Amino acid sequence: MFDALAFKGIWKRHTPDAVLAKLRALQAAAEALPANFGGPTPGAGSILSSVRVTLLSDTVVMGIGVKPVKQPTPALPQAFVDSVALMFLSRCVGVFLYEAAREQPVLAYRGAISFGEHTIDDRFVVGPAIDDAAEHMNLPSGALVWFTPTAMDALAASNSVIPPGILDAAAVPYRVPLTGGGSIAARVANPFAELSPSADPSAWIATLLGSFGEPSACVRLLRDNTDAFLDAASA
């Protein structure tokens, strides 16, 4: 679950028609994401049971359901399937984040990725994982979509079955700065996960950072923390 920073004042920088056109374009991009995994209800050969995306104005909720492993083994524990789903979800979030800042009006998103039971349809989102994401989504001091402690615990339970390089490309290990001060070690969705290694994201980064508007102390801190993360993610 994530939403756009400074969305309340976006009308000062862009016309309502431009903002609505942007949101419709992002909705179309988001609704296309499940096709990468076999559609909203993947087939029998998939480890996934559902892939859902819904937009409520500037708030985006994405969810991936997994099928229970009927006979878990050391080679295929349930924790591995859960971790793969989290990795897939992080890549979906990263694709959306990149698209949101690719063209004007630019939207910089902040939020959280959780783990647990949830239900998502076209209008309603409920469940413990939704509550957990909502509780943590505004804590980062910057445009970061981070893994909640619940999601981090689910990854840890996989006992590093996923090769670190593959996981790191989707979810960057990073010390997340918190709005109330301090920081916490977690993972953050990588907006560059689907870019080719030769791609240069510097123009995209400049565009995103330029969207932070008036340089008050609070806004400057959000921008600087976002810049630091993007520098780490693109390294």
Side-chain angles (χ1 to χ4, degrees):
M1 178 184 290
F2 45 100
D3 61 12
L5 286 169
F7 189 76
K8 184 177 180 180
I10 196 171
W11 318 108
K12 299 176 183 179
R13 305 186 300 276
H14 302 284
T15 67
D17 286 346
V19 174
L20 290 174
K22 177 74 172 195
L23 291 175
R24 291 189 184 102
L26 289 177
Q27 182 177 22
E31 290 174 348
L33 289 172
N36 297 324
F37 305 99
T41 308
S46 175
I47 65 171
L48 307 180
S49 60
S50 64
V51 182
R52 296 284 188 269
V53 181
T54 189
L55 273 72
L56 312 169
S57 186
D58 66 306
T59 300
V60 184
V61 183
M62 296 184 180
I64 290 182
V66 297
K67 299 173 182 175
V69 179
K70 294 181 179 179
Q71 294 180 322
T73 66
L76 186 61
Q78 182 66 50
F80 170 74
V81 175
D82 295 341
S83 295
V84 169
L86 281 168
M87 183 180 68
F88 286 165
L89 179 57
S90 190
R91 294 187 80 93
C92 283
V93 172
V95 169
F96 185 93
L97 298 179
Y98 189 86
E99 183 65 24
R102 193 170 59 84
E103 296 178 348
Q104 297 289 345
V106 170
L107 296 180
Y109 281 88
R110 172 174 63 182
I113 292 174
S114 183
F115 174 82
E117 295 182 3
H118 64 277
T119 300
I120 300 173
D121 66 15
D122 293 339
R123 294 182 180 275
F124 302 105
V125 293
V126 296
I130 301 299
D131 292 346
D132 185 54
E135 179 183 347
H136 290 84
M137 64 184 293
N138 293 324
L139 293 183
S141 177
L144 288 73
V145 179
W146 71 313
F147 280 50
T148 70
T150 301
M152 292 297 294
D153 288 346
L155 284 179
S158 69
N159 198 26
S160 303
V161 177
I162 301 176
I166 296 177
L167 179 58
D168 292 353
V172 180
Y174 193 71
R175 194 153 195 94
V176 176
L178 302 178
T179 300
S183 62
I184 185 170
R187 288 184 178 271
V188 181
N190 185 2
F192 310 129
E194 297 296 321
L195 292 186
S196 68
S198 60
D200 181 5
S202 58
W204 183 91
I205 292 174
T207 300
L208 177 69
L209 296 177
S211 71
F212 277 78
E214 57 188 55
S216 66
C218 180
V219 171
R220 186 181 297 275
L221 180 61
L222 290 172
R223 185 183 62 196
D224 289 350
N225 287 338
T226 302
D227 189 18
F229 166 69
L230 294 175
D231 185 58
S234 61

